[in-house]
Amino acid sequence: MSGSNSSAPGSTSPEPLSFAVHSLPDPRVATRQRAGRWKMLLVLALCAAPVVGSYFTFYVIKPHGSAYGELITPAVEMPADLPLSDLQGHAVAAESLRGQWLLAVVQPAACDAACERQFYVQRQLREMLGKERDRVDKLWLIPDDAQPRAELLAALSQKGAEVTVLRVPRERLAAWLKPAAGKTLADHFYVVDPMGRWMLRAPGEPEPKKFKADLDRLLRASAGWDQAGR
């Protein structure tokens, strides 16, 4: 027998072992992803800072005295599916009301003398804001199906004094706006911010100068991020 290490005739020579090395994650990619997330968060924080700052100023610091109206804390978001419609019955998206401060009243279509006085005060308050008045829209929410008087609608549609008039089911409206204890929805003004959040309630027959001071503070605190027009 030979002492040779050669393989027997007909046998296959053993192949060298091979190892498959899977690619490991590139640490540079993970670093770039983390940096991208931090940049995105920083951008979001910078965008939100003026809004957060203005609300902190109004709610916490409360410059130039306390509010005349009642601050709603936390502010109540307008439901995205709030079923609004115009007087012709056409659906109006709740989203369309965003982008402006809203000075809203809730009154039935059969508007009486007290209701008409509230519209007069609503108009005067907006005019008293001077150059800032274009940042505020007037809104009449009607919680019934009756038709307002033609002469009243004509007065509320005069150029420069327009009031947005919309219907909304009472039960859906009452899930968003709330009167004070012992009052009805018609007994107040409601202030809604440009992001659609109800954040202040005032008497329906307010002291105009004191209520205007609230509006002035709101507009001043939001001047860094809110512009006139939707």
Side-chain angles (χ1 to χ4, degrees):
M1 176 179 289
S2 169
S4 173
N5 293 329
S6 60
S7 301
S11 65
T12 305
S13 300
E15 297 292 334
L17 294 176
S18 63
F19 296 91
V21 180
H22 296 283
S23 297
L24 296 174
D26 187 340
R28 293 173 298 179
V29 173
T31 300
R32 287 195 296 269
Q33 290 175 340
R34 284 196 296 270
R37 285 195 292 268
W38 278 112
K39 287 180 181 179
M40 182 179 67
L41 291 173
L42 179 59
V43 169
L44 291 175
L46 290 174
C47 292
V51 179
V52 174
S54 63
Y55 275 84
F56 179 83
T57 299
F58 190 80
Y59 282 109
V60 181
I61 301 176
K62 298 180 182 179
H64 308 296
S66 58
Y68 167 70
E70 181 182 354
L71 291 170
I72 307 303
T73 52
V76 184
E77 190 82 20
M78 181 192 304
D81 62 347
L82 189 67
L84 300 166
S85 62
D86 61 21
L87 294 180
Q88 289 71 47
H90 302 130
V92 175
E95 182 69 23
S96 67
L97 295 180
R98 298 177 187 270
Q100 285 279 87
W101 287 95
L102 300 176
L103 182 58
V105 300
V106 179
Q107 290 287 352
C111 183
D112 59 15
C115 165
E116 291 188 9
R117 283 197 303 273
Q118 193 173 17
F119 286 129
Y120 173 78
V121 173
Q122 185 188 45
R123 177 176 180 174
Q124 294 303 107
L125 282 167
R126 184 176 180 274
E127 290 303 309
M128 288 166 66
L129 295 174
K131 65 180 182 180
E132 300 294 337
R133 63 180 175 271
D134 289 338
R135 294 170 59 193
V136 179
D137 283 351
K138 304 191 299 298
L139 177 64
W140 177 13
L141 296 172
I142 301 177
D144 59 55
D145 296 326
Q147 186 66 22
R149 298 191 314 277
E151 58 271 24
L152 176 59
L153 291 177
L156 297 179
S157 62
Q158 292 179 3
K159 187 175 181 180
E162 297 91 344
V163 177
T164 300
V165 183
L166 296 172
R167 296 188 196 278
V168 58
R170 182 179 296 275
E171 65 277 6
R172 294 297 303 277
L173 181 61
W176 176 38
L177 303 179
K178 305 286 186 184
K183 301 291 185 179
T184 69
L185 283 169
D187 291 331
H188 299 288
F189 280 103
Y190 303 89
V191 178
V192 180
D193 74 13
M195 290 172 284
R197 297 182 294 191
W198 168 43
M199 47 81 62
L200 189 139
R201 176 175 62 204
E205 295 186 6
E207 295 184 44
K209 289 185 178 180
K210 291 184 178 180
F211 190 17
K212 176 186 176 290
D214 280 353
L215 297 175
D216 283 338
R217 285 196 293 271
L218 286 170
L219 294 174
R220 189 162 51 245
S222 62
W225 56 271
D226 172 50
Q227 302 297 323
R230 290 191 174 87

